[in-house]
Amino acid sequence: MESTLYKTWLQYNEIPGSELRREYADLLGRVVVERETSRHCTAAVNELTEGFKSMLRTNAVFMDEAPASGSYLRIGVKVVEAAGTNREGRGWEKGEDAFSLKLIKAGEGKRLELIGRSPSGVLYGVFHLLRGMALGLRPEELEREECPVNRLRMINQWDNADGSIERGYAGNSIFYEGGKIVADTSRIRDYARMLSSVGINAISVNNVNVHEIETRFITEEGLPEVARVAEVFRNYGIALFLSINFAAPLAIGGIGTADPLDPNVQQWWAETANRIYRHIPDFGGFVVKADSEHRPGPFAYGRDHADGANMLAEALEPHGGLVIWRCFVYNCMQDWRDRSTDRARAAYDHFGPLDGKFRDNVLLQIKNGPMDFQVREPVSPLFGAMSRTNQVLEFQVTQEYTGQQRHLCYLVPQWKQVLDFDTHAVSAGVQVKNIVEGSLFGMKISGVAAVSNIGNEECWTGHPLAQANLYGYGRLIWNPDLSAEAIADEWTRLTFGNDKDVVEKVTQMLMASWPIYESYTSPLGVGWMVVPHYHYGPDVDGYEYSRWGTYHFADRDGIGVDRTAATGTGYVTQYYIPNRETYESLKKCPDELLLFFHHVPYSHRLHSGSTVIQHIYDTHFGGAEAAEGLSLIWSALAGKIDAERYEAVESRLAEQRDHAKHWRDVINTYFHRKSGVPDERGREIY
Ligand code: GCW
């Protein structure tokens, strides 16, 4: 598929401006790669070939020795010798993905020298070079030494073998069809290219909710198929992981138990690990959702999460594999009448006491917030609470609660807030990014993971502009100090070209989109006012009397969840001082999280000067208007963007515009009826 929708940010358009193109053609027309290097860098070489052909309209000549004169690009690998965790394949050492690009004057000509610290480093350097060219940079502006900040940079697929995707909003799976792994893996290869171009180095390829067929991926029959996919990713420096069923020894092992302390169970997993590594020598490891939303786990046997995770870790350890154990554990059978149980507390209460009990190759994967990828949540207090445990931060690129890729919602600003959050663990200034990056607490391995937003639709992500979230996720976790705006600008240029008007308008739309979405959906951190199960569209009481632990407690007088230590669930005590005091205090609590931490009367005055009820009205009227504004900005770009992409975005924005009005009217009407307080400005409420 060659459409602009399909090519995402890897358009490789011909460089406009013949002078720059000629300069590059001269510099890059000859590429020197030693034979040994080129054997390990085939993906990089292919990408260069493709990129040069389409951007420079030249076929680069590859040679294994430097020419006597003239300019050229030299590519080399200077390996870092370190004991990686993964014996056969990639280690997880800091620095092994680094690269440098230098422009060196050599006689009459110039030499651009790209040195990677591993074949992956070379690949990242190649993508950096191609990106710079597409951004219109001059050769000397490409010079750079880069080393990713996070070691594990992962994507989680929630794809099922039947071809469906849990929380997928862009069609069906590119991995599976009718219970099988697809025969033609070329689209998986293109996905690997996309991921690797933004620095991703790990992927789990099946849903964390592991069903029957996927449970069998780790059998002698299943593995050759999985190995085909692993091979595709291997070429792009991406290690393959599988989500496993904790009860597999019971379900497929013929052992009457999955008790992690049972020697037969341990033996079964050890054999399973041996088998996996026979088929996939550089297998990354397991992702595990256990004792969470009815998935099996160690609790059934009176064991804890450390028992469960360590048993799997022991099986993988001889092979260098990792166990990524998810902390999304809470009581999903709560009685809404029970005001003492608070779902927000759950991850910390379950895992905090286990700090220091996990083996070195276990990583705990923690969602960014204590609830579940809401439009606005505080940062999970587990970050900073476990100094002796490897950690992975989990984001959600798929827009489950943020408009399902029908509404525009650029999430990088949200993720940045999480990464920049000052936990005050150890001392002031210890941000989440310093913790997950690993060196602060000396973690053996750590990083960031996120649930993917792609499917088999032509444009991958349903909404073409949602591609920016996948791109931005990779770029941000490679370097959390990049700004959301710089990433938006970069993505827009790569995707739509460097036209100033297009770049300005699309960047503006992206940057405005999360606040806009928040304003017409979920005021002041309250969350969950969505249609149960689907999570698209308003249903204020949809989750209010249910078992999921997701309440707003709105009555005629007020709204919000009291999570204070003084009168509420005590959730605030999970934070370090001063965050604890900030959230505890009605005076200090930031407006955007007020209803997450406090139950207040509608007449409560915010820092903004407005009352809670007036804020709800104002933001919903304003938000719906702003959503309409997005489609107006876009329509000003008609003629500057190819019809296919223009129309695809236009129709999504039209849906958003109408749906935002629906949100506005449902929320405003609900709270007007509940509170009886009229809108100060007398606007129409039904
Ligand atoms: O947000 C919830 C989703 C579930 C998902 C779960 C999880 C894969 O609604 O669909 O299950 O989180 O993260 O495990």
Side-chain angles (χ1 to χ4, degrees), residues 158 166-167 207-209 289 292-293 326 328 367 372-373 394 396 400-401 535:
W158 282 359
E166 183 151 350
R167 311 305 176 188
N207 189 358
V208 288
N209 292 323
K289 173 174 178 177
S292 162
E293 301 185 330
R326 295 177 84 235
F328 187 55
K367 287 192 181 183
D372 191 11
F373 302 134
E394 179 176 337
Q396 196 184 41
E400 178 177 358
Y401 293 96
H535 304 164

Side-chain angles (χ1 to χ4, degrees), residues 1 325 360 370 380:
M1 283 184 249
W325 190 272
D360 280 355
S380 168

Side-chain angles (χ1 to χ4, degrees), residues 84-93 96-97 118 120 124 151 153 200-202 236-239 282 320:
T85 41
N86 199 324
R87 309 290 186 266
E88 297 287 334
R90 74 156 39 248
W92 302 103
E93 294 305 317
E96 76 174 55
D97 289 339
S118 65
S120 300
Y124 298 138
R151 280 175 287 175
R153 303 177 301 278
I200 299 297
N201 65 357
Y236 287 89
I238 300 170
D282 53 355

Side-chain angles (χ1 to χ4, degrees), residues 375 399 402-403 407-414 463 465-466 468-469 488 505-521 623 626-627 630 633 653 656:
V375 182
Q399 292 172 236
T402 50
H407 294 229
L408 180 61
C409 192
Y410 176 56
L411 289 164
V412 177
Q414 187 201 59
H463 200 312
L465 300 187
N469 283 328
K505 290 206 165 72
V506 175
T507 307
Q508 182 197 349
M509 288 170 69
L510 291 172
M511 288 306 291
S513 61
W514 173 46
I516 291 175
Y517 189 76
E518 178 177 32
S519 67
Y520 60 81
T521 57
L630 288 175
I633 301 177
L653 290 173
Q656 176 174 5

